[in-house]
Amino acid sequence: MSQSTTTCRSSQNQLDTSADRVRAQTVGIPAEGYHFELTLLPDPALVHGVRETTANFVGRAGVTGAVAGDVVLVVSELVTNCILHGAGDICLRVWVVAGTVRVSVADEGTGQPGIKNVGPDAVSGRGLFLVASLASNWGTGEGETWAEFSYATPAKDVA
């Protein structure tokens, strides 16, 4: 799946000043696909709205069931990681194209995310392990952390 050449804009231009402070733009992309992009401030109060926006988007794009739930959970984990460990505005992109959902999260930080080896009593540090467990494929690089999910597309009737 090719990556988008557009970038998230400054939060001053993208964030709504209303209570939810999240605005999504949905646009069609090639191969019968869909994409949305959010730019948001690193505010934990926004994570709930991001989960709802993502769930609504993937549902409208035809992704349902366990895969939809996994996508929403991974988006929540990745955005939360940016809030806790990153810097500056957060850019979330979600693509749904031909049996694949791709999630990409980036911030302005310079750190390199990675799976931590945490003990059984640790109360945090398992986010990327969870991402790796749920996603078909995932990785980090060039300022982003991404995950992909495969899903069955409905058969089209041939009349």
Side-chain angles (χ1 to χ4, degrees), residues 28-105:
I29 60 175
E32 299 179 13
Y34 302 94
H35 166 253
F36 88 81
E37 178 178 296
L38 296 174
T39 301
L40 55 148
L41 296 171
D43 180 353
L46 297 176
V47 177
H48 175 75
V50 170
R51 282 194 301 265
E52 284 185 343
T53 299
T54 302
N56 288 334
F57 173 77
V58 296
R60 290 181 59 108
V63 181
T64 60
V67 173
D70 291 349
V71 169
V72 171
L73 181 56
V74 165
V75 164
S76 181
E77 287 293 329
L78 294 179
V79 169
T80 300
N81 280 353
C82 285
I83 292 168
L84 297 176
H85 309 291
D89 292 344
I90 299 166
C91 176
L92 165 67
R93 293 186 183 100
V94 180
W95 295 266
V96 178
V97 180
T100 301
V101 178
R102 181 181 174 96
V103 171
S104 169
V105 177

